[in-house]
Amino acid sequence: METWLLILITVALIVLLLLRIKKPKYLKTLSQEEFKENYRKAQLIDVREEREFKTGHILGARNIPLSQMKQRMTEIRPDKPVYLYCQNGSRTVQAAKILRKKRGAQDLNHLKGGFRKWTGKIKK
């Protein structure tokens, strides 16, 4: 009986984790080319932590770490396109959920593969 309970708890935790990182339909995934086309006309937000941002970031990006997103979300205008990126793409999903739910942002986009796949201009 204890084994079944342990299995049930493990499965429940896995399901919760998958739901947390699942990309919502309103978050558009952009290829590097699509991202480059319009990111200068949008609010470009790097959701990595400050120490990661300082090692290099996309030129023109503002750093609003995911860990600070709820406190700093008023810095992002909900009526303008938002282009998000992180190291590999997983934190942008969580940031987009916060911006949609708490800030009402509609035009949310993220970079496929994140910063580690970026080949465009960067600032160090």
Side-chain angles (χ1 to χ4, degrees):
M1 185 69 176
E2 291 175 17
T3 305
W4 284 107
L5 184 59
L6 185 59
I7 292 171
L8 183 63
I9 291 171
T10 304
V11 168
L13 288 173
I14 290 170
V15 168
L16 286 173
L17 179 64
L18 290 174
L19 287 174
R20 183 173 169 94
I21 61 173
K22 182 180 180 274
K23 185 183 89 62
K25 290 180 181 174
Y26 55 79
L27 178 60
K28 187 174 180 187
T29 301
L30 302 177
S31 68
Q32 194 166 157
E33 293 75 30
E34 293 169 318
F35 200 85
K36 283 180 184 177
E37 276 180 34
N38 294 310
Y39 81 88
R40 287 187 179 97
K41 300 173 195 168
Q43 301 171 90
L44 180 59
I45 311 296
D46 184 328
V47 301
R48 299 176 301 157
E49 292 302 314
E50 186 179 1
R51 62 181 155 57
E52 294 172 283
F53 183 79
K54 286 181 177 179
T55 64
H57 57 273
I58 297 174
L59 202 59
R62 282 188 291 157
N63 183 222
I64 302 178
L66 177 61
S67 62
Q68 299 174 19
M69 187 60 69
K70 287 182 181 175
Q71 294 80 20
R72 296 181 57 192
M73 66 184 168
T74 56
E75 296 175 33
I76 300 171
R77 290 183 53 179
D79 60 328
K80 293 187 83 176
V82 179
Y83 277 45
L84 301 164
Y85 74 92
C86 63
Q87 193 64 25
N88 60 22
S90 59
R91 286 177 274 185
T92 58
V93 171
Q94 294 173 42
K97 287 178 180 180
I98 292 167
L99 292 172
R100 176 74 170 225
K101 185 177 180 182
K102 306 268 187 202
R103 190 79 176 128
Q106 298 296 313
D107 192 352
L108 296 164
N109 307 273
H110 82 121
L111 177 61
K112 183 179 182 177
F115 185 70
R116 86 182 141 83
K117 297 277 187 173
W118 182 254
T119 60
K121 292 183 180 180
I122 64 168
K123 182 174 182 180
K124 287 191 174 190

